[in-house]
Amino acid sequence: MALQDSTGTTSVTRTTQLSPEALDDALAPLAAILGDRLLTPSADEFAETAAVFVGGPVRTPTAVARVRSTDEIAAALAVARDAGLPLAVRSGGHHQARHGLVDGGLVLDLRLLDGVDIDPAAGVGRAQGGVLAGAYTAAAGAHGLATGFGDTGSVGVGGITLGGGIGYLSRHDGLTVDNLLGAEVVLADGRVVRADADEHPDLFWALRGGGGNFGVVTRLDLRLRELRTVTGGMMMWAPAPETLATVLRTFTEGSEELGGMVNVMMAPPVPMIPAELHGTPVIMALLCHSGTAAAAAEVFGRLRALGPVLDGVQEMPYTGLFEGPGGPPPGGMGDARTGFVGAGAWTPDEAWAADVIQAVSGAGGPAAVNLRAMGGAIGRVDPAATAFAHRDPTLMVTVGKFAPDVESLPAASAWVESTARAFGISGRGYVNFMGTATEQDVRNAYPEATLARLREVKRAYDPHNLFASNHNVAP
Ligand SMILES: Cc1cc2nc3c(=O)[nH]c(=O)nc-3n(C[C@H](O)[C@H](O)[C@H](O)COP(=O)(O)OP(=O)(O)OC[C@H]3O[C@@H](n4cnc5c(N)ncnc54)[C@H](O)[C@@H]3O)c2cc1C
């Protein structure tokens, strides 16, 4: 049965409620294996362990299993399967739809699976299923190597990779899924398999964009590239349409070595931003140029000619971009919609840029439009080659609004919905940036042919839909 909670997220109920005694009995075999790593709500650390990055309406699991091995994962899956308990798999816990939590069910917490093995000779980084992007980036950086994830170190390598992975290096190196060489997966029936181009290629295809639908990924083998120093950091401009259009065109018409994102947002009242801009829309870019210093100087020269009010761009180790918490503070609430704009030769013009600035200034509160250039290596991959099929767009656009409390969420959602419609981004979306997980969201994340193929793979590997706390591909 499919249910929607107050955030519009669809969850699949696997069972009627068990009595407390029946629940204890069901969990007993797992408690015998995990000891105090099986946390129930009476445990001191339960609340902290069962929290995820995004705040909002509360979901309370029955237990959290802090697993350390494929055997322990297989045992936990058997308990969930046999007792009909809803199951959530949690890695970095950053998904905005709070997939890592499930009401009345079992959370498989992968955070103790945090090993990283960097193999410079093979050019491969091997990450266990609970590794965070920042930890992997630091380990690879110690060898002068890197794999591209997003822009925030606290995001889980598991979640970002399985959904796609768009970040600083994507226009040059492709998405994170384009650099996934293989994975070790614990399937719903407890079998441990390898998925790559030769073994279980159908599963390997589905893992590259299909999210957590197909099993628990305990190891990801990722292609490394050489990268020590980049030119990067933050730049900010006052909100002029010609500035925004030029900044965006510097990406879309420029070097693939330039990556990052541009936010049009209300400037918060912080000392680093000039006081006259507080509470007004500003253009804030987080940038990374992974080419030579001379090539970077040419690109940033263009951007500096636009007269930034803040310029923190400098030469730095690539790892420097992932240090510190990054991103907004945990526990924040709000809503967001993501979609894609343009294709082929389309580039954002001043009229389009003016609409973006106007939307943010009229939002009536903290809101942002986040713009990321696609293209380059992302667009050179055949849309059928991976389950991430949105290969042709020019820009990925996220419209978001913060909510100070749960009561304000519906109003934030209404603004987000109407603004997303106005920008024509309601029809296709990025599964990693979806705050809700309705059936329509799943159809937006995957074109029809991709979704049909994902269903086939789901029927082969998880026919009873054990892995349902995600953007669910029904078998
Ligand atoms: C501050 C912030 C910044 C972000 N920046 C970017 C960015 O720059 N680029 C980008 O592409 N995305 C970005 N994201 C989105 C992010 O990629 C997704 O939220 C992603 O799902 C987070 O992964 P996680 O492991 O932290 O999350 P979780 O909530 O733990 O997991 C998300 C989903 O993946 C599944 N999953 C995770 N690990 C595994 C595993 N090992 N095996 C099986 N299933 C698994 C879970 O079951 C769940 O369905 C950002 C999110 C935040 C909050």
Side-chain angles (χ1 to χ4, degrees):
M1 187 199 333
L3 293 179
Q4 275 196 9
D5 73 11
S6 58
T7 63
T9 294
T10 305
S11 59
V12 177
T13 49
R14 298 181 50 74
T15 187
T16 50
Q17 288 288 321
L18 294 177
S19 69
E21 297 73 27
L23 194 57
D24 281 350
D25 287 349
L27 291 174
L30 198 52
I33 296 169
L34 299 182
D36 61 6
R37 286 185 286 116
L38 182 70
L39 303 177
T40 51
S42 59
D44 287 344
E45 323 91 289
F46 183 82
E48 197 187 327
T49 309
V52 291
F53 185 83
V54 178
V58 176
R59 275 186 215 158
T60 311
T62 292
V64 177
R66 308 206 71 196
V67 289
R68 278 198 184 133
S69 67
T70 51
D71 284 351
E72 290 181 358
I73 291 170
L77 296 182
V79 163
R81 222 174 38 227
D82 296 347
L85 279 176
L87 176 81
V89 179
R90 184 218 204 269
S91 174
H94 271 50
H95 202 290
Q96 203 196 332
R98 297 174 295 135
H99 288 320
L101 285 179
V102 65
D103 261 334
L106 180 64
V107 171
L108 202 55
D109 181 352
L110 304 181
R111 279 174 289 181
L112 298 178
L113 287 165
D114 60 356
V116 182
D117 168 34
I118 300 299
D119 183 344
V124 177
R126 301 180 188 97
Q128 286 191 306
V131 168
L132 302 183
Y136 177 102
T137 301
H143 298 270
L145 300 168
T147 302
F149 299 109
D151 49 52
T152 302
S154 55
V155 165
V157 166
I160 191 168
T161 305
L162 296 176
I166 298 175
Y168 288 126
L169 305 181
S170 304
R171 282 166 41 75
H172 190 264
D173 299 341
L175 303 172
T176 311
V177 282
D178 301 329
N179 292 289
L180 182 67
L181 302 170
E184 178 188 76
V185 189
V186 185
L187 300 176
D189 61 10
R191 275 180 302 147
V192 182
V193 298
R194 163 95 185 157
D196 60 23
D198 300 317
E199 294 182 54
H200 302 284
D202 53 345
L203 177 60
F204 184 49
W205 172 85
L207 292 177
R208 287 174 292 159
N213 271 287
F214 306 96
V216 184
V217 177
T218 44
R219 203 184 81 203
L220 301 101
D221 297 347
L222 295 150
R223 185 183 293 117
L224 291 161
R225 65 169 279 192
E226 283 184 21
L227 187 62
R228 273 185 205 282
T229 308
V230 296
T231 308
M234 196 230 276
M235 283 182 116
M236 187 181 282
W237 298 264
E242 60 273 27
T243 305
L244 179 58
T246 306
V247 172
L248 293 173
R249 281 203 214 110
T250 307
F251 285 95
T252 58
E253 295 170 357
S255 159
E256 292 175 7
E257 288 165 327
L258 180 66
M261 60 148 113
V262 181
N263 274 316
V264 179
M265 54 187 265
M266 298 306 264
V270 292
M272 68 187 294
I273 301 179
E276 64 273 18
L277 292 175
H278 292 175
T280 71
V282 288
I283 302 164
M284 188 276 277
L286 293 175
L287 302 161
C288 167
H289 192 287
S290 57
T292 62
E298 196 270 318
V299 169
F300 288 111
R302 253 178 98 174
L303 296 174
R304 288 191 170 113
L306 298 168
V309 293
L310 275 181
D311 181 355
V313 170
Q314 57 184 314
E315 229 178 285
M316 59 162 77
Y318 174 65
T319 51
L321 292 169
F322 290 84
E323 283 163 5
M333 260 180 286
D335 199 1
R337 298 276 181 284
T338 296
F340 297 99
V341 171
W346 181 86
T347 50
D349 62 13
E350 284 177 28
W352 192 86
D355 287 346
V356 171
I357 294 168
Q358 181 53 41
V360 173
S361 44
V369 175
N370 176 273
L371 306 157
R372 294 175 194 239
M374 304 281 286
I378 304 171
R380 285 193 286 275
V381 175
D382 180 344
T386 65
F388 183 100
H390 306 300
R391 296 292 180 169
D392 63 332
T394 309
L395 291 180
M396 184 166 85
V397 180
T398 303
V399 174
K401 186 153 190 224
F402 297 97
D405 46 45
V406 175
E407 291 70 38
S408 315
L409 271 174
S413 297
W415 180 84
V416 164
E417 190 62 55
S418 65
T419 309
R421 256 200 310 276
F423 281 106
I425 60 164
S426 299
R428 295 193 299 167
Y430 173 37
V431 75
N432 271 353
F433 277 179
M434 289 178 160
T436 56
T438 63
E439 287 174 17
Q440 185 59 50
D441 289 326
V442 176
R443 281 196 293 275
N444 290 347
Y446 305 109
E448 218 175 298
T450 308
L451 189 52
R453 199 167 157 193
L454 284 170
R455 285 216 167 95
E456 260 176 51
V457 182
K458 181 79 171 177
R459 279 195 290 274
Y461 291 93
D462 183 21
H464 304 295
N465 207 7
L466 182 63
F467 301 106
S469 185
N470 43 47
H471 280 80
N472 196 227
V473 173

